[in-house]
Amino acid sequence: MARPDKAAAVAELTDKFRSSNAAVLTEYRGLTVAQLKTLRRSLGENAQYAVVKNTLTKIAANEAGITLDDQLFAGPTAVAFVTGDPVESAKGLRDFAKENPNLVIKGGVLDGKAMSADEIKKLADLESREVLLSKLAGAFKAKQSQAASVFQALPSKLVRTVDALRAKQDEQGGAE
């Protein structure tokens, strides 16, 4: 029978997996307590970074309906549970790992789908959600402006053609 403290830890981790948009598994071996504190700050307000036990985390992920590779659970593991913008937290992890090579991004989960370390690094290279949405809105606005210009050009071209025909008829009528 499972010990109550382990069952509670699994239940808490399962809840974190279910309530998070993303979770990134890292190896933190060699980082000091001060560096871990800096890492937690760099992840942003919408992420929690927790050192976890591999077996309990694997059980919790399975209970949350997430299948992760067993290799992610080798060595000391910590998980960044992201409830906000996963891009912001991925950037925080990537930037921290550049300055502190002891932090190794192993892989993770985004919206219930497993991701490799390379995919998480690609996610970090994306612009934030707000920037992408504003670019999309700008593209829609530009297309609408182009369509309005085309629709406006048709009547004005018709008016110029009619005026040219009228002027030509006036010249021919005046020449006779």
Side-chain angles (χ1 to χ4, degrees):
M1 172 139 309
R3 292 190 348 214
D5 57 333
K6 288 186 179 183
V10 168
E12 182 182 351
L13 288 170
T14 302
D15 185 47
K16 285 184 179 182
F17 273 115
R18 287 183 178 149
S19 64
S20 299
N21 298 339
V24 181
L25 283 78
T26 63
E27 183 175 326
Y28 63 93
R29 186 186 333 232
L31 293 175
T32 66
V33 173
Q35 289 172 322
L36 287 174
K37 188 175 180 181
T38 304
L39 172 59
R40 285 184 175 100
R41 270 190 258 120
S42 70
L43 290 177
E45 297 176 8
N46 298 322
Q48 289 181 326
Y49 189 74
V51 175
V52 294
K53 294 194 176 284
N54 289 334
T55 306
L56 300 180
T57 306
K58 187 175 179 183
I59 292 169
N62 286 335
E63 285 184 10
I66 299 168
T67 305
L68 295 172
D69 189 13
D70 289 340
Q71 293 176 355
L72 296 177
F73 298 103
T77 304
V79 182
F81 293 102
V82 183
T83 54
D85 185 10
V87 174
E88 178 186 348
S89 298
K91 285 182 184 193
L93 283 168
R94 179 199 60 196
D95 295 343
F96 186 86
K98 283 181 183 177
E99 296 173 13
N100 301 284
N102 287 335
L103 180 73
V104 177
I105 298 172
K106 296 179 178 182
V109 179
L110 177 63
D111 293 328
K113 301 214 174 17
M115 295 181 70
S116 69
D118 290 336
E119 290 172 327
I120 291 172
K121 289 174 185 170
K122 286 179 186 176
L123 179 66
D125 292 336
L126 287 177
E127 295 179 14
S128 71
R129 183 176 192 272
E130 290 78 19
V131 171
L132 291 174
L133 287 174
S134 66
K135 284 185 176 183
L136 181 63
F140 281 141
K141 183 179 177 186
K143 289 297 178 188
Q144 288 175 343
S145 296
Q146 288 174 349
S149 297
V150 167
F151 293 136
Q152 190 175 13
L154 291 174
S156 66
K157 188 174 183 179
L158 177 65
V159 169
R160 285 193 306 270
T161 305
V162 170
D163 283 344
L165 283 173
R166 187 175 299 135
K168 187 174 183 179
Q169 285 179 345
D170 288 345
E171 285 177 16
Q172 289 175 353
E176 294 178 12

